[in-house]
Amino acid sequence: LWVVVLKPNPVNAHLGPLMEEGFRALIERGFLAIVYGGADVGSYLSNHSDVDELHVTGSDKTFETVLFGVGTEGQTRKAERRPLITKRFTGELGNVSPVIVVPGPWRPGDVEEQAKQIASWVTVNAGFACLTPRVLVQHEPWDLRSPLIRAIERRLNQAPTRYAYYPGAHDRHGEFVKAHPEAHLFGKVDAEQLPWTLIPDVDPEDTQDICFRQEAFCGLFAETGLDAPDPASFIDRAVAFANETLWGTLCATLIVHPKSLRDPNVAAAVERALSDLRYGTVSLNMLAYYSAHFMGSPWGGFTGHDIYDVQSGIGKTFNMLMFDRAQKSVVRAPFKRLDPLTVASKRPV
């Protein structure tokens, strides 16, 4: 018999009453308690002897702070493998999420449609999501590479900016723009809002670039181009780039035109990519997180991490079918589809 204590992040505490109403039957029977507070409450619960298991949704930094402590002492404990907490600890954490755009026979309408989709994925929840696209990976010589960027930028320029509610957002945004003053900004900057931001043409050979190694966690993403002799070779190189250069293993997306899949070499490369991408969810032609809406699809980092290299987390959430050894979820969607949740909607998400 399991009972659960849920402590929301203070930035989401306003959702508590709704959760209390929705789960009232469990709360009244003592199976669930929802509590509120900051790090002090979290620390108390994490270290309480009656708590057998922990799960956190957040950043790898929060995960490691709970496990090892802060500052130099925490770093030493991690290096010496002396965690403060030894109980089972799982987490759904961050990611530098790639979107790999496979070159193909796109028409102008295809460019506009996919630009609308990508811009919508960037602006979901004001960019404060572990699934937000962070690096758009394109074929360097593709003649539609620049038109796609410009189309995305037009969509972002039309999208109203939003309240940058998550702590530290302005500082993180400033760090990225300082590293890349060539960044393109859309919308206003003030004490409450941040502009949508695209950093184009980041050098893929600079493997330690901030865009590749750190999650921005605001409405900011980058674009890079990989050279390859043909689309199939590009896909293989993009998979290696995502696996070896980008930080995190939560989710990755490919965008592939159906006519491209008529080429046996491209179709085979796409299937290799779906198999070889080391991410907990790999999606084709849709935002990876939509798979979580199915609830049956396991969601979380790629299997194999431990507390000393947690990256995007340990364990799976959702997973209502209770798969006990799921490595990844693979989801597919049509290249064109009806999607009411875009920046072009009357009430965009």
Side-chain angles (χ1 to χ4, degrees), residues 27-48:
I27 293 173
E28 290 177 347
R29 288 167 175 80
F31 291 106
L32 171 66
I34 300 177
V35 301
Y36 303 91
D40 56 335
V41 176
S43 177
Y44 174 80
L45 292 171
S46 299
N47 291 281
H48 199 287

Side-chain angles (χ1 to χ4, degrees), residues 12 57-59 92-97 120-134 165-166 172 196 215-220 247 250-251 287 289 299:
N12 294 320
T57 296
S59 75
E92 187 265 3
L93 311 176
N95 192 44
V96 176
S97 307
S120 301
W121 302 345
V122 171
T123 60
V124 166
N125 201 38
F128 297 114
C130 53
L131 53 100
T132 301
R134 298 300 176 196
Y165 68 90
Y166 208 88
R172 286 191 302 277
W196 309 121
E215 184 184 21
F217 213 68
C218 61
L220 179 150
W247 178 85
L250 185 63
C251 59
L287 179 64
Y289 189 68
W299 175 266

Side-chain angles (χ1 to χ4, degrees), residues 168-180 194 210 218 220:
H170 282 76
D171 291 339
R172 286 191 302 277
H173 184 270
E175 187 177 358
F176 277 76
V177 172
K178 181 179 179 180
H180 287 281
L194 284 170
I210 188 173
C218 61
L220 179 150

Side-chain angles (χ1 to χ4, degrees), residues 105-186:
W106 293 26
R107 297 181 177 180
D110 298 327
V111 173
E112 292 299 325
E113 176 63 24
Q114 297 306 321
K116 179 180 69 174
Q117 295 293 337
I118 294 168
S120 301
W121 302 345
V122 171
T123 60
V124 166
N125 201 38
F128 297 114
C130 53
L131 53 100
T132 301
R134 298 300 176 196
V135 179
L136 189 66
V137 183
Q138 296 208 77
H139 191 210
E140 193 277 331
W142 189 35
D143 58 355
L144 294 179
R145 177 188 176 192
S146 293
L148 179 59
I149 293 174
R150 291 195 296 269
I152 293 170
E153 292 182 337
R154 285 195 297 273
R155 289 292 185 176
L156 293 176
N157 198 42
Q158 295 166 1
T161 54
R162 305 183 188 177
Y163 176 44
Y165 68 90
Y166 208 88
H170 282 76
D171 291 339
R172 286 191 302 277
H173 184 270
E175 187 177 358
F176 277 76
V177 172
K178 181 179 179 180
H180 287 281
E182 75 279 12
H184 298 177
L185 279 61
F186 306 93

